[in-house]
């Protein structure tokens, strides 16, 4: 089992600074690691070529060559990739006898919110979405009608702009068409070329309040990130570094049952507690590109990941 980390943009032989500690911990626990040039991956996709020689680092290509006809299994830990980029990349790796544990279809299932909504719909706030070519006044008006006068939030298929809380995220009254369009326009403007898919409009559900973010002023709530491997929970961590709160409850049976239906080997589930005391799912994410808070016990994270891989017979 190989772990592929992003390389430093200025030094292709070194791990990206933001993933350096993760890589060092993984190596200390026995993981083989390789590097992938994130910028070259995206450039390769733009040029329509599948032959980028820097798809993985030289040491990994040499390792694969020594395996003869056997495939090498791999997981990625790095920056988010658009589904079409991930698809082209995994196909190129497969041609070089490197098989990503997370297929292109599995990646999209958890990376793009609309693809997983039907599975979590009963446990997550009401949501609707518009494709990129539907962002005009008429489509927006129809999309927000079911919310009435309720508060809603704006995000794209992958990310929100929570730190632009009032300008590009939170809308206190969905019936205020002028305000709705202004926030959506601002969100799209700030996302720019990073806009993923289209936009998602979600009912705002008050969560159990912790504090406000020291920079953006957005409310921080009791949220947790759960990592799942092969349908089973392997790691739990508090979502926010900026607030102190107790660990996630151990009774996760409902969420585990949902997780076993998700068509992905490695993904995250963000959960939160509402002001009414109910646990809900915020969203799913691909485990390879889901961030770890600064306070994360990396040794525990990679130890648990290793156990899951070993138990699956992939070590």
């Amino acid at each position: 089992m190989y772990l592929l980390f992003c390389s430093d943009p200025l030094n292709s032989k070194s791990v990206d600074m933001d993933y350096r500690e993760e890589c060092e911990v993984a190596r200390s626990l026995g993981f083989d690691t390789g590097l992938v040039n994130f910028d070259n991956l995206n450039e390769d996709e733009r040029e329509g070529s599948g032959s980028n020689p820097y798809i993985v680092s030289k040491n990994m290509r040499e390792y694969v060559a020594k395996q003869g006809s056997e495939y090498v299994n791999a997981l990625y830990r790095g920056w988010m990739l658009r589904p079409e980029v991930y698809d082209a990349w995994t196909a190129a790796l497969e041609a070089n006898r490197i098989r990503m544990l997370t297929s292109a279809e599995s990646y999209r299932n958890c990376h793009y919110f609309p693809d997983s909504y039907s599975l979590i719909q009963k446990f997550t706030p009401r949501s609707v979405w518009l494709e990129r070519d539907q962002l005009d006044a008429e489509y927006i008006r129809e999309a927000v009608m079911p919310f009435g006068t309720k508060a809603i939030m704006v995000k794209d298929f992958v990310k929100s702009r929570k730190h632009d809380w009032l300008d590009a995220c939170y809308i206190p009254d969905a019936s205020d068409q002028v305000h709705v369009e202004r926030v959506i326009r601002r969100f799209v403007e700030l996302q720019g070329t990073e806009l993923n898919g289209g936009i998602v409009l979600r009912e705002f559900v008050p969560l159990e309040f912790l504090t406000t973010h020291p920079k953006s002023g957005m409310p921080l709530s009791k949220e947790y990130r759960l990592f799942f491997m092969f349908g089973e929970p392997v790691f739990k961590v508090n979502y926010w570094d900026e607030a102190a709160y107790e660990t996630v409850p151990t009774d996760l049976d409902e969420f585990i049952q949902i997780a076993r239906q998700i068509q992905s080997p490695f993904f995250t589930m963000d959960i939160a507690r509402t002001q009414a005391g109910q646990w809900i799912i915020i969203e799913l994410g691909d485990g390879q590109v889901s961030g770890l808070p600064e306070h994360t016990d990396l040794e525990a994270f990679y130890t648990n990941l290793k156990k899951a891989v070993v138990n699956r017979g992939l070590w």
Side-chain angles (χ1 to χ4, degrees):
M1 170 61 67
Y2 244 93
L3 289 178
L4 300 179
F5 289 93
C6 286
S7 62
D8 189 310
L10 302 178
N11 182 1
S12 62
K13 296 182 180 180
S14 178
V15 183
D16 187 299
M17 181 176 63
D18 289 316
Y19 289 95
R20 195 163 297 161
E21 188 177 0
E22 281 196 43
C23 186
E24 290 173 355
V25 171
R27 286 172 177 167
S28 73
L29 292 169
F31 280 97
D32 290 313
T33 61
L35 299 178
V36 55
N37 188 309
F38 179 81
D39 291 333
N40 281 359
L41 267 184
N42 285 280
E43 184 65 31
D44 194 48
E45 188 272 336
R46 285 193 292 271
E47 294 176 357
S49 167
S51 60
N52 193 319
Y54 298 104
I55 253 173
V56 291
S57 51
K58 181 181 178 181
N59 71 306
M60 185 172 182
R61 295 200 302 275
E62 292 174 346
Y63 176 85
V64 173
K66 293 177 181 178
Q67 305 310 303
S69 60
E70 293 184 13
Y71 276 77
V72 172
N73 294 304
L75 274 177
Y76 170 63
R77 279 295 295 166
W79 304 114
M80 291 181 178
L81 294 165
R82 292 184 182 278
E84 58 270 24
V85 177
Y86 189 84
D87 190 359
W89 182 42
T90 53
L93 290 174
E94 186 86 13
N96 287 277
R97 301 201 312 279
I98 301 171
R99 181 171 291 137
M100 296 301 288
L101 202 57
T102 300
S103 68
E105 182 180 3
S106 294
Y107 179 79
R108 185 184 175 105
N109 281 345
C110 292
H111 191 56
Y112 267 11
F113 179 85
D115 288 63
S116 61
Y117 181 67
S118 61
L119 293 173
I120 63 174
Q121 186 171 357
K122 293 182 180 180
F123 298 88
T124 199
R126 175 191 292 185
S127 305
V128 298
W129 50 87
L130 297 170
E131 299 290 341
R132 191 187 299 259
D133 60 356
Q134 296 177 313
L135 302 183
D136 60 37
E138 183 177 350
Y139 277 113
I140 292 172
R141 187 179 300 109
E142 291 180 3
V144 298
M145 282 183 63
F147 296 105
T149 60
K150 293 179 178 178
I152 58 175
M153 295 177 64
V154 179
K155 67 188 295 289
D156 66 18
F157 287 7
V158 177
K159 299 179 72 174
S160 68
R161 297 196 66 92
K162 288 184 281 191
H163 295 298
D164 297 295
W165 182 248
L166 295 177
D167 292 332
C169 185
Y170 176 71
I171 301 169
D173 181 353
S175 67
D176 185 343
Q177 185 70 14
V178 173
H179 194 173
V180 169
E181 289 185 33
R182 182 169 67 247
V183 171
I184 291 176
R185 281 198 305 271
R186 183 59 175 157
F187 173 81
V188 172
E189 177 188 358
L190 291 174
Q191 287 295 85
T193 58
E194 298 302 313
L195 182 71
N196 284 276
I199 65 162
V200 178
L201 301 167
R202 312 198 69 195
E203 181 178 338
F204 175 75
V205 176
L207 303 178
E208 189 171 322
F209 178 75
L210 291 173
T211 185
T212 56
H213 193 277
K215 293 183 179 179
S216 66
M218 69 168 289
L220 303 185
S221 307
K222 195 167 286 186
E223 299 179 54
Y224 307 88
R225 173 156 288 176
L226 313 179
F227 281 82
F228 287 85
M229 195 78 173
F230 308 118
E232 299 298 327
V234 294
F235 195 69
K236 301 169 284 189
V237 65
N238 293 1
Y239 189 89
W240 296 108
D241 282 309
E242 295 83 1
Y245 50 112
E246 73 273 13
T247 55
V248 67
T250 55
D251 185 10
L252 300 172
D253 288 348
E254 272 190 324
F255 297 126
I256 292 173
Q257 291 305 314
I258 295 171
R260 289 172 178 165
Q261 301 174 48
I262 307 301
Q263 298 301 304
S264 174
F266 183 45
F267 64 94
T268 55
M269 179 185 291
D270 293 343
I271 66 172
R273 189 174 182 176
T274 68
Q275 286 184 359
Q278 178 187 9
W279 288 97
I280 63 171
I281 297 173
I282 301 298
E283 61 187 359
L284 303 181
D286 179 75
Q288 302 175 111
V289 298
S290 294
L292 290 166
E294 288 183 9
H295 66 269
T296 301
D297 182 341
L298 293 178
E299 185 169 351
F301 174 75
Y302 279 102
T303 295
N304 292 352
L305 200 63
K306 179 178 178 178
K307 287 179 181 177
V309 171
V310 169
N311 290 339
R312 195 75 171 190
L314 297 172
W315 189 262

